């Protein structure tokens, strides 16, 4: 078991003829991901890495039975790509594209409210279940199969955590990058719920950063519901408050969202918070060992 | 991207949102002729900088005569204004807004901003306008009214009425208020704004609503489709290094320390600053090269780092995903071939194409201290910078 993606995942790559998409399609395929189709408007009938390309998502899903998509299209057209994927009734959409206008994502999020499609991202590294399925841009070689779930707002810190775990001999069940944008699809809590119910996941690392209150909400949810040990890290403790304009942002966040606030709430919820980004793996291992002794 | 108050008011006028008559002035003479044009007993001279808190900091003056307009304009233009939102270094006043005075009956606060918790835009309003609204929000949160806006239907008239009645607007002004809120939301949508704030929104003694201030901020990701907003950019309000970095799609923020950092990904970049501090060093900057940087961008990033005279050591921390390590390594080598590097350089490479990246660095003549982890790299650069400092004293 694992969450979101596994050997049954049949992937369609949206924007497959672009250079970044081509490069990562090759790497995903080499890793063993079952890529059944690509979509690129106007390029229908071509192939990339031996994968058939379709003009529309509807065709791609109908012809191949794909159940997940990954989006590599440019930011200006990415929101439309997400909507097209949802319209095709695909189960899972993972959007790698960064710099999507916030206004576009507000509409996308609203549109997805009454759809069954799950969106992960945008501006995320993707999702990987080691040795089964890699969707996104993460370097495959750092991952090992195992029982630790990783969920993070930051792509590169996800790699950092996974790398540390693998070096400590702790494999991963699934690693999920939820993306750093202010408006995104899947939240920390959504992913934590999945890990909580996944019998293969025995512990979780959750990596957040300054801004928003997702981490605080997740911490409170963990306190109430999580059956498994969780270690965490928050980046941005030393980030300067910076110049700003107006008060609206501060009012809506109610002064919350600082690294210190997040760390305090996480600690109060029983999460072991790593002091530095290089001890995320260690912190979880220590927590799990101390629980075993009890 | 931020714009000036007078530019915001120009947008308000285009959306038929009432604002006082006024003109921008770049010189003392322009300020005086603007004041003459206004034909008003009272003239307000307002410093135009990209930060709030101008009133408290002495950036807003009330003039009753042309001599006063002249002397206030002279005082303000060229002065460095320090407000609680500018940071210690402040910002130089280069433009003034010269406006007619209006008779205020009551002041309110109105703002539109994204609520990250719901993923929707919120309209916020309060009776307590013209004051420190953050203090109101903290001490008496019940005095702030909220409406969440459904992006599919927009701000509805009944939501506008709820706010108008909640603010206790005079009966004659309720319809005006609803209309004004809806126009503001349309402006927010049309221009890909991220903040629109009016503090104060006033009601005049003639029961007329009017925006006395305008703070607007726009989503950088959407500027590509906002030609008019792009035209409002005032580069003199931006840090020159940050501006240079933006040309190469780099996200750069100058800081106080002496260790230059080049990292991929905002999360890792912040974490790198955190770990440098943890080991007793201080970062000179935040620099995220992003995921799609070319060797040219990386090379330029490196030059920007080294152009900071405070920098006494550089830490490159890359965990490649979409960013390839060989691109980073080639960029570093190219930069080192064109600029002289006297300070220590620690490089940690991991991730996509890591072997190629390490190979490129090894083959170059550059004196690179390699690190096998983030922790190792942070320790090495803090140590190397200290030693460099001792040597150069």
């Amino acid at each position: 078991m694992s969450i979101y993606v596994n050997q049954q995942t049949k992937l369609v790559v949206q924007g497959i003829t672009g250079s970044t998409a081509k490069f990562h399609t090759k790497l995903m395929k080499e890793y063993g991901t079952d890529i059944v189709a690509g979509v690129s408007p106007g390029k229908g009938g071509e192939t990339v890495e031996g994968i058939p390309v379709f003009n529309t998502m509807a065709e791609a899903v109908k012809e191949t039975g794909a159940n997940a998509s990954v989006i590599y299209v440019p930011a200006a057209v990415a929101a439309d790509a997400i909507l097209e994927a949802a319209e095709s009734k695909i189960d899972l959409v993972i959007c790698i594209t960064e710099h999507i206008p916030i206004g576009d994502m507000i509409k996308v999020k609203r549109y997805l409210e009454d759809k069954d499609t799950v969106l992960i991202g945008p501006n995320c590294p993707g999702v990987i279940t080691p040795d089964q399925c890699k969707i996104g841009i993460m370097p495959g070689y750092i991952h090992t199969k195992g029982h630790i779930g990783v969920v993070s707002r930051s792509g590169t810190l996800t790699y950092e955590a996974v790398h540390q775990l693998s070096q400590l001999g702790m494999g991963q069940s699934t690693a999920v990058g939820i993306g750093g944008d202010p408006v995104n699809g899947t939240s920390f809590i959504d992913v934590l719920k999945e890990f909580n119910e996944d019998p293969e996941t025995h512990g979780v690392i959750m990596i957040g950063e300054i801004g928003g209150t997702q981490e605080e909400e997740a911490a409170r949810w963990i306190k109430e519901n999580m059956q498994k040990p969780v270690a965490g890290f928050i980046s941005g403790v030393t980030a300067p408050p910076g110049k700003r304009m107006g008060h609206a942002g501060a009012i809506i966040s109610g002064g919350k969202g600082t690294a210190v606030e997040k760390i305090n709430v996480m600690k109060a919820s029983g999460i072991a918070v790593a002091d530095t980004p290089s001890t995320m793996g260690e912190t979880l291992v220590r927590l799990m060992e101390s629980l075993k002794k009890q | 991207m931020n714009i000036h108050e007078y530019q915001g008011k120009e947008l308000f006028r285009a959306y038929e949102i009432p604002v006082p008559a006024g003109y921008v002035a770049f010189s003392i003479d322009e300020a005086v002729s603007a004041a003459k044009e206004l034909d008003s007993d009272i003239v307000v001279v307002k410093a135009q900088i990209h930060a709030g808190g101008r009133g408290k900091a002495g950036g807003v003056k009330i003039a009753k005569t042309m001599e006063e307009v002249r002397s206030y304009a002279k005082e303000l233009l060229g002065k460095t204004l320090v407000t609680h939102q500018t940071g210690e270094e402040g910002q130089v006043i280069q433009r003034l807004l010269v406006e007619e005075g209006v008779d205020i009956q009551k002041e309110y606060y109105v703002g539109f901003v994204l609520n990250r918790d719901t993923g929707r835009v919120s309209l916020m309003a309060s009776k307590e306008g013209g004051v420190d609204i953050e203090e109101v929000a903290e001490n008496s949160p019940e005095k702030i009214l909220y409406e969440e806006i459904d992006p599919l239907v927009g701000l509805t008239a009944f939501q506008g009425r709820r706010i108008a009645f909640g603010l206790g607007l005079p009966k004659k002004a309720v319809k005006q208020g609803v209309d004004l809120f809806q126009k503001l939301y349309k402006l927010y949508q049309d221009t890909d704004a991220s903040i629109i704030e009016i503090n104060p929104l006033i009601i005049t003694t003639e029961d007329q609503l009017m925006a006395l201030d305008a703070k607007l901020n726009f989503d950088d990701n959407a500027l590509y489709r906002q030609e008019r907003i792009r035209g409002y950019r005032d580069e003199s309000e931006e840090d020159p290094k940050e501006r240079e970095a933006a040309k190469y799609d780099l996200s750069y923020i100058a800081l106080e320390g002496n260790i230059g950092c080049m990292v991929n990904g905002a999360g890792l970049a912040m974490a790198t600053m955190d770990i440098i501090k943890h080991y007793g060093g201080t970062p000179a900057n935040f620099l995220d090269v992003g995921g799609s940087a070319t060797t040219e961008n990386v090379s330029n990033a490196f030059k920007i780092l080294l152009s900071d005279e405070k920098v006494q050591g550089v830490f490159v921390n890359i965990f490649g995903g979409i960013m390839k390590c060989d691109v980073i390594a080639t960029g570093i080598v190219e930069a080192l071939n064109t600029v002289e590097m006297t300070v220590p350089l620690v490089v940690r490479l991991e991730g996509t194409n890591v072997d190629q990246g390490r190979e490129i660095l090894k083959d170059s003549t550059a004196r690179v201290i390699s690190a096998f982890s983030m922790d190792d790299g942070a320790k090495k650069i803090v140590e190397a910078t200290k030693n460099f400092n001792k040597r150069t004293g």
Side-chain angles (χ1 to χ4, degrees):
Chain A
M1 278 289 286
S2 54
I3 68 171
Y4 296 121
V5 302
N6 55 35
Q7 272 156 332
Q8 274 73 53
T9 302
K10 292 164 81 176
L11 185 68
V12 44
V13 178
Q14 292 181 254
I16 193 166
T17 51
S19 64
T20 303
K22 269 186 189 163
F23 178 75
H24 287 283
T25 295
K26 186 166 173 277
L27 294 185
M28 290 190 289
K29 205 177 163 201
E30 280 167 9
Y31 195 83
T33 306
D34 185 12
I35 307 177
V36 296
V39 168
S40 193
K43 305 268 172 76
E46 297 181 10
T47 59
V48 171
E49 297 285 321
I51 299 156
V53 179
F54 298 87
N55 285 320
T56 67
M57 274 298 285
E59 276 177 273
V61 171
K62 187 167 164 254
E63 297 298 322
T64 64
N67 54 14
S69 89
V70 62
I71 294 176
Y72 291 101
V73 305
V77 294
D80 186 63
I82 300 172
L83 298 180
E84 188 185 1
E87 193 60 33
S88 76
K89 295 197 165 53
I90 208 152
D91 298 335
L92 179 70
V93 182
I94 297 169
C95 185
I96 307 302
T97 307
E98 60 179 350
H99 301 311
I100 301 179
I102 294 173
D104 291 3
M105 279 312 301
I106 290 174
K107 289 192 192 106
V108 165
K109 195 174 174 72
R110 174 69 179 86
Y111 181 84
L112 292 178
E113 266 174 26
D114 48 9
K115 299 279 183 295
D116 293 325
T117 300
V118 169
L119 169 68
I120 293 178
N123 187 15
C124 79
V127 182
I128 182 168
T129 293
D131 295 353
Q132 292 192 38
C133 180
K134 162 178 137 84
I135 301 179
I137 53 174
M138 66 289 279
Y141 75 91
I142 57 172
H143 300 81
T144 48
K145 195 175 180 319
H147 301 289
I148 305 302
V150 178
V151 56
S152 169
R153 263 168 78 184
S154 149
T156 38
L157 281 178
T158 318
Y159 314 156
E160 198 71 56
V162 164
H163 192 53
Q164 289 168 21
L165 286 169
S166 290
Q167 286 183 327
L168 290 165
M170 304 282 280
Q172 304 87 45
S173 52
T174 303
V176 185
I178 59 173
D181 279 8
V183 179
N184 64 357
T186 299
S187 69
F188 275 120
I189 295 181
D190 296 329
V191 180
L192 289 165
K193 279 180 184 166
E194 298 283 337
F195 279 137
N196 207 21
E197 279 159 27
D198 173 32
E200 285 295 306
T201 300
H202 300 167
V204 174
I205 292 183
M206 166 182 148
I207 305 156
E209 59 192 41
I210 48 172
T213 54
Q214 262 206 54
E215 290 85 354
E216 290 91 320
E217 284 159 35
R220 290 184 198 106
W221 185 89
I222 286 169
K223 193 179 181 185
E224 297 294 316
N225 305 284
M226 196 75 182
Q227 312 282 333
K228 300 167 187 183
V230 181
F233 177 73
I234 298 291
S235 66
V237 177
T238 60
K243 288 179 204 163
R244 61 196 180 90
M245 194 170 170
H247 307 276
I251 296 171
I252 199 88
S253 64
K256 294 191 177 65
T258 65
V260 172
E261 162 91 15
K262 284 173 195 292
I263 290 167
N264 287 344
V265 175
M266 284 165 76
K267 282 183 176 164
S269 306
I271 300 168
V273 182
D275 290 334
T276 77
S278 56
T279 55
M280 294 184 285
E282 258 172 69
T283 305
L284 180 67
V285 170
R286 269 205 310 273
L287 174 67
M288 290 175 79
E289 275 168 4
S290 72
L291 290 173
K292 236 184 264 171
K293 278 178 202 147
Q294 281 173 16
Chain B
M1 189 191 100
N2 288 326
I3 64 172
H4 289 294
E5 174 193 1
Y6 77 90
Q7 296 165 328
K9 284 179 170 168
E10 211 169 281
L11 287 170
F12 283 1
R13 279 194 197 99
Y15 278 76
E16 297 173 329
I17 294 154
V19 292
Y23 304 95
V24 63
F26 293 81
S27 67
I28 301 167
D29 288 341
E30 277 178 27
V32 174
S33 52
K36 281 180 184 153
E37 193 76 20
L38 286 173
D39 189 29
S40 168
D41 296 342
I42 291 177
V43 170
V44 188
V45 182
K46 303 179 87 175
Q48 300 292 291
I49 57 166
H50 283 183
R54 292 168 300 163
K56 263 190 196 165
V60 178
K61 307 283 186 191
I62 313 280
K64 294 195 180 82
T65 65
M66 287 303 142
E67 289 70 48
E68 282 182 14
V69 172
R70 182 172 288 279
S71 81
Y72 286 140
K74 198 175 166 191
E75 179 193 332
L76 290 176
L77 281 169
K79 179 183 169 182
T80 302
L81 198 64
V82 180
T83 82
H84 67 280
Q85 291 190 1
T86 57
E88 284 170 19
E89 70 282 8
Q91 243 156 307
V92 178
I93 305 166
Q94 289 167 328
R95 305 175 189 200
L96 299 173
L97 172 59
V98 181
E99 247 182 19
E100 63 172 347
V102 285
D103 292 323
I104 299 171
Q105 186 188 144
K106 185 159 172 39
E107 297 181 309
Y108 306 93
Y109 168 90
V110 175
F112 287 82
V113 70
L114 169 72
N115 182 352
R116 294 175 64 142
D117 292 346
T118 58
R120 295 185 180 193
V121 176
S122 272
L123 160 58
M124 298 178 297
S126 176
K127 279 183 199 179
E128 309 282 317
V131 297
D132 188 341
I133 193 72
E134 279 180 55
E135 227 167 76
V136 176
E138 203 184 313
N139 299 331
S140 27
E142 74 286 352
K143 288 189 177 155
I144 312 253
L145 309 170
Y146 297 88
E147 290 291 339
E148 290 281 305
I149 301 165
D150 185 327
L152 299 187
V153 292
L155 180 71
T156 62
F158 78 83
Q159 287 181 303
R161 284 197 299 275
R162 208 147 57 190
I163 294 285
F165 287 119
L167 291 177
L169 292 186
K171 238 184 195 168
K172 271 166 78 182
V174 168
K175 223 177 135 197
Q176 253 188 75
V178 175
D179 188 51
L180 183 138
F181 301 144
Q182 287 185 319
K183 281 173 177 163
L184 281 171
Y185 180 66
K186 184 165 172 15
L187 172 62
Y188 190 99
Q189 291 292 100
D190 290 355
T191 58
D192 280 299
S194 49
I195 291 175
I196 295 183
E197 190 175 68
I198 306 175
N199 190 21
L201 170 76
I202 61 135
I203 188 138
T204 64
T205 41
E206 279 101 48
D207 284 346
Q208 170 72 41
L209 283 173
M210 199 180 258
L212 279 207
D213 193 18
K215 285 199 180 63
L216 285 82
N217 187 285
F218 300 90
D219 178 5
D220 290 337
N221 290 345
L223 286 176
Y224 73 89
R225 62 186 180 198
Q226 297 293 347
E227 202 187 338
R228 179 170 192 174
I229 306 303
R230 282 202 309 272
Y232 285 141
R233 169 159 251 143
D234 178 1
E235 293 199 337
S236 68
E237 293 279 328
E238 297 163 15
D239 180 279
K241 280 202 229 35
E242 290 173 23
R243 206 168 59 226
E244 178 74 9
K247 271 195 227 158
Y248 304 107
D249 288 325
L250 307 162
S251 171
Y252 174 94
I253 299 169
L255 302 168
E256 299 304 313
N258 61 354
I259 298 177
C261 308
M262 183 162 91
V263 189
N264 66 322
L268 189 64
M270 281 193 288
T272 303
M273 288 159 51
D274 293 344
I275 199 165
I276 286 173
K277 272 254 169 94
H278 183 81
Y279 285 118
T282 48
N285 65 279
F286 166 97
L287 174 58
D288 172 11
V289 293
S292 48
T294 60
T295 44
E296 196 203 343
N297 292 352
V298 171
S299 167
N300 282 309
F302 212 76
K303 287 175 196 162
I304 291 167
L305 275 188
L306 292 177
S307 72
D308 182 347
E309 283 162 8
K310 296 195 302 290
V311 167
Q312 295 178 318
V314 174
F315 182 24
V316 177
N317 184 19
I318 301 295
F319 210 130
I322 201 156
M323 186 77 235
K324 299 168 193 163
C325 290
D326 52 330
V327 171
I328 292 280
T330 310
I332 294 173
V333 172
E334 270 176 23
L336 292 177
N337 284 339
T338 50
V339 290
E340 201 194 351
M341 172 101 184
T342 51
V343 300
L345 167 65
V346 174
V347 179
R348 181 274 182 125
L349 290 180
E350 197 63 71
T352 306
N353 292 359
V354 60
D355 294 335
Q356 291 99 303
R358 286 181 183 157
E359 207 56 38
I360 290 164
L361 281 186
K362 213 174 69 188
D363 290 349
S364 81
T365 50
R367 292 169 296 122
V368 174
I369 307 167
S370 49
F372 56 84
S373 74
M374 177 171 186
D375 196 66
D376 183 47
K379 279 183 195 156
K380 279 180 175 158
I381 192 62
V382 170
E383 187 63 29
T385 306
K386 269 185 198 149
N387 291 337
F388 177 80
N389 216 343
K390 267 185 221 150
R391 276 206 311 276
T392 57

